[in-house]
Amino acid sequence: MSHSLHLLTPTTLTFPKPHSSSSFLNPFSTPYRRFPVTTAFPTLSIKASAASSDPQPSVLVSGNGTSSSAVQSQQDYASSTSIEVDAVTEAELRENGFRSTRRTKLICTIGPATAGFDQLEALAVGGMNVARLNMCHGTRDWHRAVIERVRKLNEDKGYAVAIMMDTEGSEIHMGDLGTSSVKAEDGEIWTFSVRAFGSTLPERTINVNYEGFAEDVKVGDELLVDGGMVRFEVVEKLGPDVKCKCTDPGLLLPRANLTFWRDGSLVRERNSMLPTISSKDWLDIDFGIAEGVDFIAVSFVKSAEVINHLKSYIAARSSDISVVAKIESIDSLKNLEEIILASDGAMVARGDLGAQIPLEQVPSAQQRIVQVCRQLNKPVIVASQLLESMIEYPTPTRAEVADVSEAVRQRADALMLSGESAMGQFPDKSLAVLRSVSLRIERWWREEKRHEPMLLPAIGSSFSDSISEELCISAAKMANNLEVDALFIFTKTGHMASLLSRCRPDCPIFAFTNTTSVRRRLNLQWGLIPFRVSFSDDMESNLHKTFSLLKARNLIKSGDLVIAVSDILQSIQVMNVP
C-alpha cells in the first residue's frame, strides 16, 4: 500500500533569500508548497518549523516512532550532559562563523620531526585531523609512544585527532640505511644486495628485502626508487650483488619502494606473487588492534578478497577499526570498484602508483579513484608528494600549490603529508599551506556556486538504506537552495553522516554521535564536524538539548537556520534556532 510524503513549510520560517544563480529549483518560491512523493512506507510527515512564535519547534511524528510531548528545560539539559568537539574547530567556529570552516580534512605522517608532544600539539593546532603512523619505519614501542601522546593531547587539550596505522606491505623495498637519508649523485655506482650485513652497511650499499632480486633483474634494467624519485641503471650482476649507476640523482630514504623496468615495461611478475599482507604486517595489525587505532591502511591491495579477509579478522577480535585500501598498483586499478566497495575508504598513493603506470596517466587515475569513492560513499585520501619540496624548503613550488588545489577542487575527502611532516624541516609550514589552499579553493567553489552535476548512484542494499539516501540528497539540496547555516545529523553509526558528506553541500555538517570511536572516524570525511553527545530516540528532546549546549558555548545563536537529519527515526526538519 502506498502513501504520500509531504514537506510542509509554514510562512513563519525565516531564511536568507536564495542566490539567483543557484542551479537547483527553489521549492520555496511561494509561501506554502506541498511536494507529493509516492512511496511505500508508513505515513511520514516532515515538518519545517520556526521558533519565532513557538518556543518548542515542531517535530517529526511518524508511524515508526512517536516523539515525547514533555520536554525538559534547556537548563536541565545543559546541566545533565555535555558536548565534545575538537578545540581547534570550536575556536574557528566562534571566531569566523559556520561558513569559514575547512571542509577538506588533513592527515600528517608522524616521524622523527614531529613525534614529540609539543610538535604533535603544533600539528593539532594547525589543523591535523588524522595522525598517520607508517609501519615501514620505527619500532612498535616508538609507535606506541606516539599513540599515547596523541591520546593525551586529545584528553588534556580537547582535540579529536584520529590515528591511522599504515602497513608496510610485502612489495620489494630497500632496507634501513643507518641514517635518515642519503643523497645519490649522478653517475655514482651503488650496490643493491640481498646479503645480510651487520650493523654497518658498506659505503654506497643498499640492502634489498627480496631474496630473488639479483636473479630477476637484468643488465640494462632501470631501477626506480620511491616511485622514480631516484633512478638507477643495472650495469653488472655479481652473485647476490647488483651494481647500479645513478642516472637521476636524488634523496634515498630508508625502506623506500623499489620497482624495475625492462624495455619500457614494468617487471611485475615476482611482485604479483608476493602476499599483500606479510607476516610482519599481521603482527603490526595485531599491534594496531591492541592499541585501538581508528584506521588501518593496507598497502598494495590487489583484490577485494584481501580487504574482506582483514575486516573479518578485525571483527573476530571485537574491534571496529576502519580499513583503508591504498591504490598504488596496476592490480589495484584493474579491480578498483570491487576493492573500494569492500573497503571503508581509499588512498590515492600517487608515488608508488606512478612507478607502475606512465606518469602522464597518474592525474586521470587520481580523478577516477576520487570519483568512484564519492559515488560509492567511501572517503578518499590524496597522498604522496603534495608538497615534496617543503621537505627542504620553507615555501612550496607554484606547481605544488596547483596540485593541491586540484585535489581540493575534485572534492577529495582528505589530503596527506608524508615526508613533509615525518622528516621534513618545515612540517608546520607544510600543514599551513595545505590548510590555506584548501580554505581558499573551497571558498571560491561556494562563491561561484559550482554545484557539480556528479551523478550519485543508488548504493543502498535495503529499502531503509534507500530512504536514508533520499533524505540526505534532499537535505543537501535544500541546504544549498535556502543557504542554511548548517546541517545537523544525529547518527549512531555515522552512516547517514557519510551520506550527507557524499552530497558535498555548501554549509558545514554538524555530526552528533554518542560514540567516541565513531566521532574520531568521522574526522576523515569531507565537511563533517564531529561532536560527541548523549542522545535518545526522541528527536525533539535531542534538538533542544543540542541547541542549549551549542548556544552555551557560543557556537550557534538564536535565528540561525539549520536542517536537522536523523538516522534514529530517518527524519528531516528545517528550523530556526530558538
Side-chain angles (χ1 to χ4, degrees):
M1 186 171 79
S2 65
H3 300 269
S4 289
L5 174 68
H6 299 286
L7 179 65
L8 308 179
T9 57
T11 55
T12 53
L13 180 66
T14 60
F15 50 84
K17 183 179 180 181
H19 196 284
S20 59
S21 62
S22 174
S23 60
F24 298 112
L25 293 176
N26 180 11
F28 294 86
S29 56
T30 61
Y32 192 87
R33 293 286 300 274
R34 294 167 67 90
F35 302 88
V37 181
T38 302
T39 61
F41 50 88
T43 302
L44 181 69
S45 298
I46 303 177
K47 189 173 182 180
S49 60
S52 57
S53 60
D54 184 357
Q56 296 181 6
S58 300
V59 68
L60 167 76
V61 180
S62 69
N64 61 344
T66 303
S67 68
S68 170
S69 59
V71 181
Q72 295 182 20
S73 68
Q74 293 183 354
Q75 291 78 11
D76 290 340
Y77 286 130
S79 62
S80 64
T81 187
S82 62
I83 192 166
E84 296 177 10
V85 62
D86 180 75
V88 175
T89 303
E90 181 176 7
E92 289 180 353
L93 285 169
R94 285 176 175 169
E95 182 177 352
N96 302 315
F98 289 144
R99 299 231 166 211
S100 66
T101 56
R102 171 174 43 84
R103 314 297 200 267
T104 308
K105 302 305 178 73
L106 305 179
I107 303 172
C108 296
T109 301
I110 307 304
T114 48
F117 189 87
D118 291 341
Q119 292 92 337
L120 288 169
E121 183 172 12
L123 292 178
V125 171
M128 174 176 67
N129 301 109
V130 180
R132 171 181 175 252
L133 303 176
N134 188 352
M135 302 307 289
C136 289
H137 309 283
T139 65
R140 294 188 188 101
D141 287 339
W142 186 90
H143 290 294
R144 182 181 291 108
V146 173
I147 293 172
E148 290 172 354
R149 292 182 196 120
V150 172
R151 295 262 167 80
K152 183 172 177 58
L153 271 173
N154 288 345
E155 293 172 5
D156 294 351
K157 305 284 187 172
Y159 304 121
V161 178
I163 297 172
M164 175 182 292
M165 190 194 80
D166 198 327
T167 64
E168 180 177 325
S170 57
E171 299 293 294
I172 301 173
H173 58 79
M174 296 165 27
D176 291 320
L177 300 175
T179 182
S180 59
S181 63
V182 179
K183 185 69 177 293
E185 300 289 354
D186 188 30
E188 288 182 347
I189 302 297
W190 285 70
T191 300
F192 289 78
S193 178
V194 297
R195 296 176 186 267
F197 293 99
S199 57
T200 303
L201 289 171
E203 186 179 5
R204 293 180 187 171
T205 300
I206 295 173
N207 189 251
V208 180
N209 72 322
Y210 171 46
E211 293 183 358
F213 178 75
E215 300 173 11
D216 283 355
V217 298
K218 295 181 179 180
V219 173
D221 285 352
E222 187 178 28
L223 185 64
L224 274 64
V225 179
D226 200 13
M229 299 307 294
V230 188
R231 291 173 185 257
F232 294 87
E233 179 185 349
V234 178
V235 295
E236 186 179 12
K237 294 171 59 175
L238 296 172
D241 302 331
V242 178
K243 301 289 184 179
C244 300
K245 178 182 178 181
C246 181
T247 56
D248 280 344
L251 206 61
L252 297 170
L253 302 177
R255 310 189 74 80
N257 181 253
L258 296 176
T259 54
F260 50 101
W261 291 65
R262 183 177 303 144
D263 300 325
S265 299
L266 176 70
V267 179
R268 56 188 292 272
E269 288 79 9
R270 291 290 184 181
N271 271 8
S272 63
M273 293 167 50
L274 295 172
T276 299
I277 302 177
S278 67
S279 56
K280 175 185 179 299
D281 291 338
W282 284 114
L283 293 175
D284 289 338
I285 289 167
D286 286 339
F287 165 79
I289 294 173
E291 293 299 321
V293 300
D294 301 291
F295 305 95
I296 292 178
V298 184
S299 298
F300 296 100
V301 175
K302 301 181 179 72
S303 67
E305 182 180 359
V306 173
I307 298 296
N308 290 327
H309 180 44
L310 175 56
K311 291 178 75 172
S312 297
Y313 182 82
I314 292 172
R317 279 147 185 79
S318 302
S319 177
D320 59 351
I321 297 172
S322 295
V323 176
V324 175
K326 295 177 68 176
I327 309 300
E328 52 189 340
S329 67
I330 294 176
D331 294 310
S332 299
L333 292 177
K334 286 182 177 179
N335 304 311
L336 182 63
E337 285 80 5
E338 69 173 48
I339 290 173
I340 291 175
L341 271 174
S343 70
D344 300 308
M347 181 188 297
V348 189
R350 304 180 306 175
D352 290 317
L353 185 61
Q356 299 212 5
I357 63 175
L359 289 176
E360 63 271 17
Q361 293 182 16
V362 173
S364 58
Q366 172 180 313
Q367 184 166 355
R368 179 191 168 208
I369 297 166
V370 171
Q371 288 180 344
V372 171
C373 286
R374 169 95 176 274
Q375 290 173 335
L376 298 179
N377 193 34
K378 302 298 173 75
V380 58
I381 305 161
V382 174
S384 306
Q385 302 166 356
L386 286 172
L387 300 172
E388 189 79 5
S389 69
M390 292 192 73
I391 292 177
E392 299 184 69
Y393 301 101
T395 304
T397 67
R398 305 310 178 259
E400 287 172 336
V401 172
D403 180 40
V404 172
S405 300
E406 175 62 15
V408 177
R409 192 196 62 79
Q410 290 176 0
R411 320 304 288 277
D413 288 86
L415 307 176
M416 191 181 89
L417 295 174
S418 299
E420 303 96 328
S421 59
M423 43 80 71
Q425 298 182 41
F426 308 98
D428 297 346
K429 290 185 176 180
S430 299
L431 181 60
V433 170
L434 286 193
R435 182 176 179 274
S436 62
V437 172
S438 298
L439 283 168
R440 182 64 190 92
I441 298 302
E442 290 167 0
R443 186 168 71 250
W444 167 80
W445 191 276
R446 293 192 297 273
E447 289 170 352
E448 295 295 319
K449 292 293 180 182
R450 293 181 175 272
H451 305 299
E452 75 277 35
M454 177 181 283
L455 178 64
L456 297 178
I459 56 175
S461 58
S462 67
F463 187 67
S464 178
D465 287 344
S466 297
I467 295 174
S468 296
E469 287 178 39
E470 292 300 324
L471 283 174
C472 289
I473 291 172
S474 298
K477 286 184 177 181
M478 291 170 65
N480 290 340
N481 287 345
L482 304 180
E483 297 183 355
V484 304
D485 293 297
L487 276 160
F488 284 17
I489 169 67
F490 293 85
T491 177
K492 292 183 177 179
T493 65
H495 177 62
M496 277 189 72
S498 70
L499 288 174
L500 272 179
S501 170
R502 176 192 188 214
C503 297
R504 303 297 195 258
D506 279 354
C507 65
I509 305 167
F510 286 23
F512 302 98
T513 183
N514 56 359
T515 308
T516 301
S517 60
V518 172
R519 176 194 171 204
R520 286 200 302 263
R521 286 200 299 273
L522 293 178
N523 244 343
L524 184 61
Q525 297 192 274
W526 188 97
L528 296 183
I529 301 176
F531 294 78
R532 194 191 71 82
V533 62
S534 60
F535 51 72
S536 66
D537 291 342
D538 185 341
M539 272 302 296
E540 185 176 4
S541 170
N542 294 334
L543 284 168
H544 275 273
K545 179 191 300 184
T546 305
F547 286 155
S548 175
L549 292 170
L550 294 178
K551 288 173 71 176
R553 295 173 71 157
N554 296 318
L555 297 181
I556 61 173
K557 62 182 182 299
S558 296
D560 285 338
L561 183 63
V562 300
I563 294 178
V565 185
S566 170
D567 65 9
I568 302 170
L569 296 177
Q570 291 185 313
S571 63
I572 177 173
Q573 295 171 261
V574 186
M575 63 177 60
N576 294 108
V577 176

